[in-house]
Amino acid sequence: MLRYSLRLLLLLVVALVLGSIIYLDSSLLSYTPYKAAHKPPPPPSAAAPASSPPPADTAPISPTHYTTNSRILTPAHTELKLQWRFWSAQIYAHRPTVPPLTPHGAAVTVNGQHRAGPRRPAGSRLRLKPATIASLQASHAAFLSSIHASAPPQVAATLYNGSGVVLVAGGEFFGPAIVSLRMLRRTGCTLPAEVFLGTSAEYEPDVCEGVLPLLNARCVVIPDLFTTSVYVSVSRYQLKALALLFSSFAQVVFMDSDSIPLLDPTPLLSSAPFTDTGLVLWPDFWTATEDPAFWTIAGLGTEFPADLPATSSEAGQILIDKHRQLHALLLAVYYNVHGPDHYYPLLSQGALGQGDKETFLAAAVAAKAPWYRVRAPVLAVGYERRDGTLKGAGMAQAHPGDDLRVNGGGGGVAGVATREGVRTAWVHVNTPKMNAGHLVDEGDLVGEDGKRVRLLGSREKQVQLFGEDVERVLWEIMVDSGCELAMVVKEWVGRERMCERLKEHWEAVFEHHGK
């Protein structure tokens, strides 16, 4: 402990010598999650049909005033808070100094899953001047040099231990997170979980101290790991990289709050490709659209990288070993802290889904760290409209071990990959999310013909794709959670007849297996 305290003291002294240290301030940290255009709640039914009991005991839980404050930082998080003072100083000291970047029109979004071969340059819509590129390159190089000096392997070994699951939740994302965690436990996974919140206001004692501990999960409030003074606010997509950095685990399974695990992810952490690389990422539907100048800014010269996958990445689930990938993760944090004005436009040029999703692969490549990107294509799941088109509801992502066995490689190797013989590991149910309150209030459960729908498609198709009727299982958990916690989760309190309406949908669609 004495040796570690002296090391931390030395880091702080070095940071003070480096210049004006300006830290992220929790008081001005803003978390503004994406909110879909809300439809007004439907009027309550004058004569609601009687509801039979849902598939499990769903007696409502009353709010409780807990005496245990799980916001007290653990020793591991206290050490991370001290280390963050130094890292945040470097992020600020080497910030981009050029004006915000704006593309001249958004990059065209094209489905690239059936393209063979590696990534092709998308062309530049930012039209960066040489002086702008040189300035960004100098700041990037200085930051990369600083983390190579300040984050040797022994730092990661001291700060991070064990394996666990990380999510970002709070507010309207608590509901989906509870469903995802219950699905995780259903797979047999016993890994501990840390649920990160973007603001102090999102800390709900009844959820964080009552509900989540029963799922072997605890809340961590990101502002609690910051100190004083401010130079930037952090919100939305920027939180994921910080959650990964601030997690106490060395080997992390990250899941978006709406990413549903179908298999226990624990074995993924002890098998290839994770053990080969320490970083596993998944594909999106669309071709990558980064400005080619990004790779010059990242220090790779003027030649476009030859081994990148054709499609962009989808960051609903990430596997990372911070003992091996700390430099790449710190670079991803740098990209995200400076994302909205600089690195998000550089990496997506205004294309669909612009945000953090490209920063993790880009950081690994720039840091010369190993990585694996699943080659099996992501599958769109949803239900068929009357005109025969698909109303998408989510993304079925492949098992990385199966992908390695069937498709080989993890980069932009030649040939089109297949899903044959590859299991689905996650379903990222993002349109709409599995938020019980929103689903019953916003009309997503009814199709164009006024009839109730299965969001993920017919029972037969789900059994064929997933091996079971996943949506039926989700709704068992949704009814249980929505009815038990209707007066506990703040975002659900006051929603008219939420439990009854959840039961009505269950009975109409799933009680007798549905169609």
Side-chain angles (χ1 to χ4, degrees), residues 243-259:
L244 287 169
L245 185 69
F246 288 145
S247 167
S248 63
F249 309 126
Q251 291 79 37
V252 175
V253 177
F254 175 84
M255 309 188 315
D256 271 354
S257 62
D258 53 3
S259 193

Side-chain angles (χ1 to χ4, degrees), residues 23-86:
Y23 313 113
L24 291 173
D25 185 1
S26 62
S27 66
L28 292 182
L29 181 85
S30 62
Y31 182 41
T32 52
Y34 171 79
K35 292 182 181 290
H38 291 296
K39 310 180 200 59
S45 171
S51 298
S52 61
D57 180 17
T58 55
I61 296 174
S62 300
T64 304
H65 296 292
Y66 290 93
T67 57
T68 301
N69 184 1
S70 65
R71 283 191 63 175
I72 297 174
L73 293 180
T74 65
H77 286 118
T78 300
E79 293 171 2
L80 281 164
K81 180 173 183 173
L82 292 172
Q83 183 68 49
W84 173 247
R85 298 181 66 175
F86 181 75

Side-chain angles (χ1 to χ4, degrees), residues 16 44 47 63 77-78 82 105 120 124 220 228 233 242-243 262 269 273 279 348 363 460 471 482 488 501:
L16 288 168
H77 286 118
T78 300
L82 292 172
R120 305 166 192 167
S124 176
V220 182
T228 57
S233 63
L242 286 169
L262 304 187
L269 300 179
L279 179 64
S348 293
E460 291 72 24
E471 190 170 357
V488 175
R501 286 185 285 156

Side-chain angles (χ1 to χ4, degrees), residues 201-282:
E202 290 181 323
Y203 186 88
E204 299 183 26
D206 289 320
V207 175
C208 292
E209 299 168 32
V211 177
L212 294 185
L214 298 176
L215 296 167
N216 195 16
R218 70 185 309 273
C219 291
V220 182
V221 182
I222 289 178
D224 289 351
L225 292 153
F226 292 162
T227 52
T228 57
S229 195
V230 66
Y231 73 89
V232 70
S233 63
V234 184
S235 62
R236 288 187 67 189
Y237 303 116
Q238 296 163 290
L239 297 172
K240 186 178 300 182
L242 286 169
L244 287 169
L245 185 69
F246 288 145
S247 167
S248 63
F249 309 126
Q251 291 79 37
V252 175
V253 177
F254 175 84
M255 309 188 315
D256 271 354
S257 62
D258 53 3
S259 193
I260 308 297
L262 304 187
L263 304 169
D264 182 357
T266 308
L268 301 180
L269 300 179
S270 58
S271 58
F274 182 74
T275 53
D276 294 337
T277 63
L279 179 64
V280 177
L281 302 167
W282 275 263

Side-chain angles (χ1 to χ4, degrees), residues 330-354:
L330 283 167
L331 191 54
V333 170
Y334 177 83
Y335 291 161
N336 279 278
V337 168
H338 302 303
D341 287 342
H342 296 95
Y343 282 95
Y344 293 168
L346 271 169
L347 289 168
S348 293
Q349 299 194 93
L352 184 67
Q354 176 171 295

Side-chain angles (χ1 to χ4, degrees), residues 180-193 215-217:
S180 293
L181 283 169
R182 288 187 169 182
M183 282 292 287
L184 180 73
R185 299 312 177 205
R186 180 180 179 269
T187 69
C189 178
T190 60
L191 292 174
L215 296 167
N216 195 16

